[in-house]
């Protein structure tokens, strides 16, 4: 293992490493009192300068002290769906298990920034057992999703018994992890950790990453170890102003992921977390970015653009529509006639097309002519003159 810079956890360390200046120090101290700071050595190595896409995600700024009226401490509404500590059960067939409230890095746009970082670490044993008992008692739970905090900072020796307990629950058919570890702290992805994930119940890992610059050689190695251990990999990305809000940035990220056997899964619209307004794009801007990706990259590189509706009302796709109503009717211009439904479809290059394709109107064929008058010597009417007549 190579010698890396020590993890930055204080404003003084930010200053010593040239990530903030002396003038901003008092303001950054105010930010750090409210929201945790941590930048791993790996991520420090990926920062080229203080205003690049990696630094913007992890280095605190005074803009975090600006809170707008619509922002919330619990922007996606976890609290009303927390029946026991460590469980969020919003959807009938799946729930979140949050055994850990710490992360290796603290994203400046985190939607759980009010509760992740300060104070508690891992659930106590009694709390963890109560969470597992809740899962056992709810047979409608088909999928358990580890989140937090970052669940992959749990030591394999402690993770293994949790996995064994879930593996023994008959109605749990899928286990999923949401994590930043493979990218921001890849040396934690050891053979021992991969082995701890190797349960009979299928395990999926969803990797959070927002820019291709984050994915260095160490991250590629961690993704390889997971992949070779039989763990299917998806990704989730947050759309962030100043980080990845260009078609080129998103294309570079999604191509890099697919080249490392990670399928882009979700592109999240920024949540209404407090002090994150400087990161949020408009939905219209996000839709246009997704529209411009279509045709630039293959389907394997296309995530679903989603919005988590504030207040706990669920996640919905909000990508652009390529379909508009056409003119319905049976006038010969709509395709199949008979009052069939028609549409106008926009292709990846902005050209509009009718669906079904329009067909040119044609002139109705003339009615058959009446039979001509014949004479008795016409072979077609006179049997005696027709050599083929029997």
């Amino acid at each position: 293992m190579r010698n890396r810079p020590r993890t930055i956890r204080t404003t003084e360390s930010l200053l010593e490493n040239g990530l903030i200046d002396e003038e901003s120090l008092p303001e950054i101290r105010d930010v750090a009192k409210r929201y945790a700071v941590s930048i791993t050595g790996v991520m420090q190595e990926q920062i080229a300068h203080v205003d690049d896409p990696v630094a913007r995600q992890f280095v605190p700024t005074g803009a975090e002290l600006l809170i707008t009226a619509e922002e919330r401490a619990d922007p996606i509404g976890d609290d009303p769906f927390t029946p026991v500590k460590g469980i969020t059960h919003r959807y009938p067939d799946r729930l979140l298990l949050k055994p850990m409230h710490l992360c290796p890095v603290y994203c400046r746009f985190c939607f759980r920034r009010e509760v992740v970082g300060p104070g508690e670490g891992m659930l106590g044993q009694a709390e963890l057992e109560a969470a597992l008992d809740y899962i056992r008692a709810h047979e409608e739970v088909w999928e358990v999703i580890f989140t937090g905090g970052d669940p992959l900072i749990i030591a394999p020796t402690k993770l293994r018994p949790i996995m064994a307990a879930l593996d023994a629950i008959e109605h749990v058919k899928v286990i999923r992890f949401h994590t930043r570890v493979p990218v921001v702290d890849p040396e934690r992805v050891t053979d021992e950790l991969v082995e701890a994930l190797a349960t009979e119940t299928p395990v999926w890992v969803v990797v959070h990453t927002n820019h291709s610059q984050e994915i260095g050689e160490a991250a590629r190695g961690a993704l390889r170890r997971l992949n070779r251990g039989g763990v299917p990999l998806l990704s989730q990305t947050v759309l962030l102003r100043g980080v990845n809000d260009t078609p080129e940035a998103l294309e570079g990220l999604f191509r890099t992921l697919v080249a490392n056997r990670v399928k882009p899964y979700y592109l999240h619209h920024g949540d209404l977390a407090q002090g994150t307004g400087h990161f949020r794009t408009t939905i219209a801007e996000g839709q246009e970015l997704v529209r411009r990706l279509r045709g630039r990259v293959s389907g394997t590189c296309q995530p679903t653009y989603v919005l988590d509706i504030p207040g706990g009302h669920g996640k919905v796709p909000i990508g652009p529509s390529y379909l508009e109503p056409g003119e319905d009717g049976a006038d010969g211009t709509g395709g199949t006639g008979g009052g069939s439904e028609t549409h106008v479809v926009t292709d990846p290059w902005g050209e509009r097309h009718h669906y079904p394709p329009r067909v040119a109107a044609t002139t109705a064929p003339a009615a058959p002519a009446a039979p001509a008058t014949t004479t008795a010597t016409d072979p077609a009417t006179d049997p005696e003159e027709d050599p083929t007549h029997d």
Side-chain angles (χ1 to χ4, degrees):
M1 185 182 298
R2 61 176 291 182
N3 292 326
R4 297 195 184 277
R6 296 172 63 87
T7 296
I8 292 173
R9 301 186 190 280
T10 66
T11 52
E12 286 70 23
S13 292
L14 290 168
L15 180 63
E16 290 167 8
N17 286 274
L19 294 175
I20 62 173
D21 56 35
E22 190 82 42
E23 184 180 346
S24 66
L25 189 58
E27 188 175 49
I28 301 305
R29 282 184 178 140
D30 288 342
V31 174
K33 288 175 185 176
R34 180 161 188 173
Y35 308 119
V37 174
S38 182
I39 311 175
T40 58
V42 172
M43 285 298 94
Q44 292 172 55
E45 291 175 340
Q46 297 305 116
I47 294 174
H49 56 84
V50 295
D51 200 33
D52 73 14
V54 179
R56 283 174 175 255
Q57 294 182 63
F58 305 120
V59 177
T61 67
E64 296 175 55
L65 298 174
L66 303 175
I67 299 175
T68 60
E70 71 272 13
E71 292 177 342
R72 305 180 178 198
D74 181 22
I76 66 170
D78 278 352
D79 290 348
F81 298 93
T82 304
V84 299
K85 192 171 183 179
I87 294 286
T88 297
H89 193 180
R90 180 182 292 109
Y91 300 98
D93 73 327
R94 57 203 182 275
L95 54 72
L96 305 181
L97 173 60
K98 296 181 277 189
M100 172 65 71
H101 294 279
L102 301 174
C103 295
V105 295
Y106 292 110
C107 304
R108 310 321 305 169
F109 49 87
C110 178
F111 68 95
R112 292 197 179 109
R113 64 201 319 240
E114 301 280 351
V115 295
V116 171
E120 301 175 357
M122 192 163 176
L123 292 179
Q125 189 57 41
E127 294 167 335
L128 182 59
E129 279 302 321
L132 292 170
D133 284 343
Y134 180 90
I135 297 170
R136 293 183 183 105
H138 287 262
E139 296 186 1
E140 73 274 20
V141 175
W142 180 82
E143 182 179 26
V144 172
I145 303 165
F146 280 79
T147 183
D150 197 313
L152 287 192
I153 68 171
I154 300 173
T157 53
K158 292 185 176 181
L159 183 59
R160 194 175 291 112
I162 303 174
M163 297 298 291
L166 291 173
D167 197 29
I169 300 174
E170 176 62 27
H171 57 267
V172 173
K173 301 301 183 184
V174 177
I175 300 170
R176 193 195 325 169
F177 282 79
H178 286 188
T179 179
R180 253 196 177 287
V181 161
V183 171
V184 303
D185 204 2
E187 286 156 358
R188 288 183 181 270
V189 183
T190 61
D191 292 341
E192 187 181 10
L193 177 63
V194 175
E195 187 273 331
L197 300 177
T199 56
E200 191 66 27
T201 304
V203 172
W204 291 68
V205 168
V206 181
V207 180
H208 176 182
T209 182
N210 300 313
H211 196 279
S212 60
Q213 188 178 321
E214 296 174 50
I215 305 173
E217 188 50 46
R220 291 185 176 91
L223 296 173
R224 275 196 302 273
R225 288 191 291 278
L226 287 165
N227 192 271
R228 289 172 180 171
V231 179
L233 302 176
L234 303 172
S235 76
Q236 57 180 347
T237 293
V238 181
L239 181 59
L240 300 168
R241 188 178 299 282
V243 173
N244 56 18
D245 59 334
T246 66
E248 294 77 15
L250 291 176
E251 177 180 346
L253 172 62
F254 299 144
R255 286 188 186 277
T256 299
L257 286 167
V258 170
N260 285 276
R261 299 182 175 88
V262 183
K263 170 69 180 82
Y265 172 44
Y266 276 151
L267 175 64
H268 292 270
H269 188 73
D271 293 311
L272 296 175
Q274 292 183 336
T276 64
H278 55 296
F279 282 116
R280 283 194 300 278
T281 68
T282 66
I283 288 176
E285 288 170 330
Q287 290 174 327
E288 181 59 24
L289 285 168
V290 173
R291 182 188 296 277
R292 291 175 67 183
L293 276 182
R294 182 66 60 178
R296 291 176 67 110
V297 294
S298 71
T300 55
C301 297
Q302 303 277 346
T304 302
Y305 182 36
V306 294
L307 172 70
D308 221 324
I309 303 170
H313 301 292
K315 193 182 288 97
V316 292
I318 57 169
S321 176
Y322 301 86
L323 203 62
E324 303 168 37
E327 294 180 2
D328 296 341
D331 61 357
T333 63
T336 58
S340 64
E341 184 180 49
T342 66
H343 302 278
V344 176
V345 189
T346 303
D347 68 25
W349 299 275
E351 296 293 327
R352 289 156 56 86
H353 310 272
H354 292 280
Y355 180 85
R358 287 186 168 181
V359 294
T362 57
T363 303
T373 302
T374 58
T375 64
T377 59
D378 188 337
T381 57
D382 187 346
E384 293 184 1
E385 298 295 330
D386 185 0
T388 65
H389 185 73
D390 289 330

